[in-house]
Every structure is written in structure tokens, then in C-alpha cells.
Amino acid sequence: MDIGTITDVIRNPPDVPGPQWRPGDAWLAGGTWLYSDPQPDLRRLIDLAPLGWHTMQVTDDGLEIGATATIADLYALATPTEWTAAPLLRTSCEAFLASFKVWNSATVGGNICMALPAGPMITMTVALEATYELWSTTGTERIVDAADFVTGNHATILQPGELLRRVHIPASALRTRHAHRRFTLTKLGRSTIFVVGTQKPLADDMTIVVTAGTTHPVRLRFDTAPSADELAAAVNAIDDEVWFDDPNGSPGHRKHLARHYAEEIRTELLDGAAA
């Protein structure tokens, strides 16, 4: 779709592009959402692609993902064998309601900043204890927990003109044991619910992350593995207003699935720990 209100496109922004931002601007990365809907308030696009933020780095500290890395880039990444949770990277890529063409354009950062409940990059980064590096229009930076970034359906903590520069996933999270469950109405459909559980090696802790069925990610942490009743109570305690309602599922349906899948994940992780 053409955006008929655009009067200018900045093709070669400075390395720190924030100070160039003004009302009516939009950061352009993959553009898969930007060009899919009318954008009547936009007057100028600032293209981030020339800045080379698409790189990914495997380090001793974990994984650094540039905000403009594509879903295809992430899917093709070779990871160390000791990263037992690395399969979740590919699983999350496969959770996209998207064709291979979108995979080659859509960016990790774009999916996160869209803040849709079913955004699988949000699921992945919250489940793997990621942090985000944000750049403001004044050139200052801040680091935020992935779990705190999305505040609601299509809503984030981003200030006007602020942008996501990179994602950091710590090596400790990538070495956890994990299990996941996902439900869709059709085989390749949008996620109705996406639940991920993790547990540190040789530890009794457990973390359950509920996404897609909620307007923002919900992270349930337990210092010791919960009983079935304790886990069900924690899911039941999620505020009724947080459960998402759209044609893919009612709040009641999603809450039921969250309890069911969380218990399956709890059992799987405990069985794996005992093996």
C-alpha cells in the first residue's frame, strides 16, 4: 500500500538518528505493518536499514540481536550446543502468521514494537529474560526488561520518537530447560495463546510466561516448582482485564488454555528434571 501523505524519506540518517525525529515521522525498518494500513498522520519516513542494525552476535554473555535483523536472519542463526533453550528462537519464528516473503522483510525489533498480543518475538524475549536497549530523541539510552516493555494491545513504554536499538538475551537464560505450548484456530493461524516455561539447570525454580492470550506478557516466577494447585491459582490470579478478546478466542477460552498448558509445561519440566 502506498502512503499518500509522505512528503520525504530520509535514506541515510546519522548513526544516532533520534535527534532528527519530529512529529509526523516514523522509523522505517521492514515496513511490513507500516505499509499494510493507512497512516494518515505520517509525513516523513526515516529508513533505519542503512545503519546496519541487522547483525546478530553470539558472545560469552549471550545473544545480541540488532533491531533490524529479520525473522529469516534469526531463524538461520547457528547457536552453541550448550544453549539448550535456543530451539525457542526457531519455534518463535515459526509462530508468525506470515509468508516467507514477510520473513525476509519483517524485523525482530518491528515485531516487538508493534506490541501485538500475538507477537512471537515478544514471547521469545520475555521467556528468555531479555533486555532491550532504547534510544531517545536526545541521544540518551536506557535498558529495560522485556517483560516491562509492552503495556497493552499495541501499547508500549516507548516515548515519542524513542526507538529500539538492540535486544540482549543472556547466556544464562539460553542454557535453561524449556517447554512450550501454543494454540491456533488453524494450523498456520494467529496464536490464540502461547505459553513458555523455563527452569534453570539443576535447580528447582520455574518461570511460566503467558502471551498471545493476554494484552501484555505475564511472567509467573516461582523460587521452587509450584504444585498443580499453586500454578492454577497463579494463572487464575491474572487480572480479568488482561485477557485478550478477539475472533481468535474469548478471554474465558484463553484463560482455560493457559491453565491447561501451564500444567502440561510444569509436568514436562519436572519430569525432565527427574530424568
Side-chain angles (χ1 to χ4, degrees), residues 76-92:
L77 180 68
T79 56
T81 55
E82 63 269 22
W83 286 7
T84 50
L88 184 59
L89 306 179
R90 284 196 164 198
T91 295
S92 299

Side-chain angles (χ1 to χ4, degrees), residues 126-127 129 147 195-199 205-211 214 216-239 242-243 255 258-259 261-263 265 269:
V126 173
E129 308 283 347
V195 185
V196 180
T198 58
Q199 190 173 49
D205 71 305
M206 191 173 293
T207 300
I208 302 291
V209 171
V210 180
T211 61
T214 50
H216 61 77
V218 175
R219 186 163 61 192
L220 306 174
R221 277 185 164 143
F222 304 91
D223 292 333
T224 58
S227 67
D229 289 343
E230 289 170 336
L231 181 55
V235 175
N236 287 335
I238 297 172
D239 194 307
V242 173
W243 296 101
K255 189 172 186 177
R259 283 194 303 262
Y261 286 152
E263 174 56 22
I265 289 170
L269 289 175

Side-chain angles (χ1 to χ4, degrees), residues 104-218:
N104 284 285
S105 298
T107 63
V108 173
N111 186 251
I112 291 169
C113 292
M114 272 296 296
L116 298 177
M121 298 296 98
I122 298 169
T123 305
M124 176 192 77
T125 53
V126 173
L128 294 178
E129 308 283 347
T131 55
Y132 302 156
E133 181 181 317
L134 308 181
W135 285 9
S136 76
T137 56
T138 62
T140 59
E141 304 172 7
R142 59 173 172 150
I143 305 296
V144 301
D145 188 325
D148 297 330
F149 182 78
V150 176
T151 58
N153 179 25
H154 204 38
T156 71
I157 63 172
L158 284 172
Q159 299 299 309
E162 195 171 29
L163 55 82
L164 172 60
R165 169 61 183 89
R166 63 169 57 87
V167 175
H168 172 72
I169 302 177
S172 58
L174 287 161
R175 295 191 186 101
T176 58
R177 297 187 303 109
H178 78 287
H180 76 276
R181 297 291 188 276
R182 176 172 171 259
F183 178 84
T184 61
L185 292 177
T186 60
K187 183 178 180 181
L188 298 177
R190 183 172 178 165
S191 299
T192 297
I193 192 114
F194 195 169
V195 185
V196 180
T198 58
Q199 190 173 49
K200 296 183 180 68
L202 304 176
D204 192 36
D205 71 305
M206 191 173 293
T207 300
I208 302 291
V209 171
V210 180
T211 61
T214 50
T215 56
H216 61 77
V218 175

